[in-house]
């Protein structure tokens, strides 16, 4: 399992969050999961819209600008990830 943390993909064993992280301390945060089938992300635009809306509702700025999502998703393709849940 790969996790995108601090601007890079890391193995789940390397994915750690500081005890001083605002989300950890106060329990606020948002997430969205993506599924991929045969190299295509299922309902990508709907997922991203829901993520943006969730952030807006709790006053959280997304750390990844919308313009950077295509490059981020290409990283998945370069890793050979064709199926994801």
């Amino acid at each position: 399992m790969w996790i995108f943390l601090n601007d890079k993909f890391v193995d789940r064993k390397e994915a750690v969050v500081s005890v001083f992280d605002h989300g950890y301390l106060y329990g606020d945060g948002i997430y969205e999961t993506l599924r991929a089938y045969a190299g295509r992300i299922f309902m990508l635009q709907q997922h991203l819209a829901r993520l943006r809306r969730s952030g807006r509702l709790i006053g959280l700025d997304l750390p990844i600008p919308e313009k950077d999502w295509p490059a981020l998703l290409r990283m998945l393709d370069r890793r050979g990830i064709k199926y994801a849940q």
Side-chain angles (χ1 to χ4, degrees):
M1 175 186 289
W2 292 97
I3 297 159
F4 192 73
L5 180 66
N6 298 330
D7 299 323
K8 62 182 180 180
F9 283 100
V10 296
D11 186 81
R12 68 180 174 186
K13 293 176 184 172
E14 298 174 39
V16 294
V17 177
S18 167
V19 295
F20 300 107
D21 181 83
H22 193 274
Y24 179 80
L25 288 172
Y26 300 101
D28 60 354
I30 58 172
Y31 72 93
E32 186 70 27
T33 61
L34 301 174
R35 286 184 177 255
Y37 302 100
R40 293 183 50 107
I41 296 174
F42 181 68
M43 298 180 72
L44 175 61
Q45 294 310 315
Q46 292 89 333
H47 283 289
L48 294 178
R50 193 167 37 246
L51 185 66
R52 287 189 298 271
R53 185 184 71 229
S54 296
R56 224 178 16 258
L57 288 172
I58 68 167
L60 179 69
D61 293 327
L62 297 182
I64 303 168
E66 194 166 334
K67 67 176 181 55
D68 292 347
W69 277 99
L72 173 64
L73 296 171
R74 279 193 300 275
M75 278 194 257
L76 291 174
D77 191 44
R78 283 197 302 271
R79 289 186 176 275
I81 297 172
K82 300 296 179 199
Y83 294 91
Q85 305 187 48

